[in-house]
Amino acid sequence: MSNQELEVLGRDQECCPGLLTAPLDEDQAAELAKVFKALGDPVRLRLLSMIASRAGGEVCVCDLTPAFDVSQPTISHHLKLLKQAGLIDSERRGTWVYYRLLPQMTDRLAGILTRPAGQPLPQIGQESAGAPS
């Protein structure tokens, strides 16, 4: 995901605070689907967790690969998908690549999925609660 797309997502968050407060428009839904699809794989979810929880905020790919029973090219593919979704970024240092979390995306996801404090979810039939039967 490009920096421009991340900026658009940031602006969307300001005008559209969450999934539970207003319906997503088509563009928002398509963009978020890419992110959720990236998170929908157990290996990618574990990779993201390993990167996000690492002391110092970044981890070398050489420390990620041994934790999985898949090949190094498969790990690289999963990392590429996480990066394309805007969840992580990377930096090459010599022969190794170091990965770090992009907290603006995880913050965005948290904001989208968070119900506004003190506001209950709409109940079925709530719209007609005041109307006579």
Side-chain angles (χ1 to χ4, degrees):
M1 184 172 292
S2 70
N3 286 338
Q4 184 178 13
E5 289 171 317
L6 287 173
E7 288 174 21
V8 169
L9 284 175
R11 285 195 302 271
D12 287 348
Q13 185 175 13
E14 292 168 9
C15 72
C16 307
L19 179 65
L20 303 176
T21 57
L24 296 172
D25 67 30
E26 190 174 329
D27 291 338
Q28 291 169 322
E31 217 36 65
L32 285 171
K34 291 177 191 175
V35 180
F36 284 117
K37 185 175 181 179
L39 292 172
D41 181 271
V43 171
R44 289 193 292 269
L45 200 51
R46 283 188 59 212
L47 283 166
L48 184 68
S49 175
M50 291 172 73
I51 294 166
S53 64
R54 177 65 81 147
E58 63 181 15
V59 60
C60 178
V61 69
C62 62
D63 294 325
L64 295 171
T65 306
F68 297 90
D69 290 330
V70 296
S71 68
Q72 184 277 327
T74 300
I75 294 296
S76 292
H77 174 72
H78 285 303
L79 290 166
K80 176 184 169 186
L81 294 176
L82 289 170
K83 188 172 178 179
Q84 288 174 341
L87 292 159
I88 61 173
D89 200 3
S90 64
E91 179 182 337
R92 178 170 292 281
R93 297 182 198 150
T95 58
W96 298 112
V97 178
Y98 288 79
Y99 291 90
R100 67 183 169 281
L101 178 72
L102 291 175
Q104 60 268 32
M105 182 55 78
T106 53
D107 291 350
R108 168 131 168 84
L109 294 176
I112 286 171
L113 296 173
T114 301
R115 184 173 50 88
Q119 291 185 5
L121 291 175
Q123 300 297 316
I124 296 174
Q126 184 177 14
E127 309 82 8
S128 61
S133 309

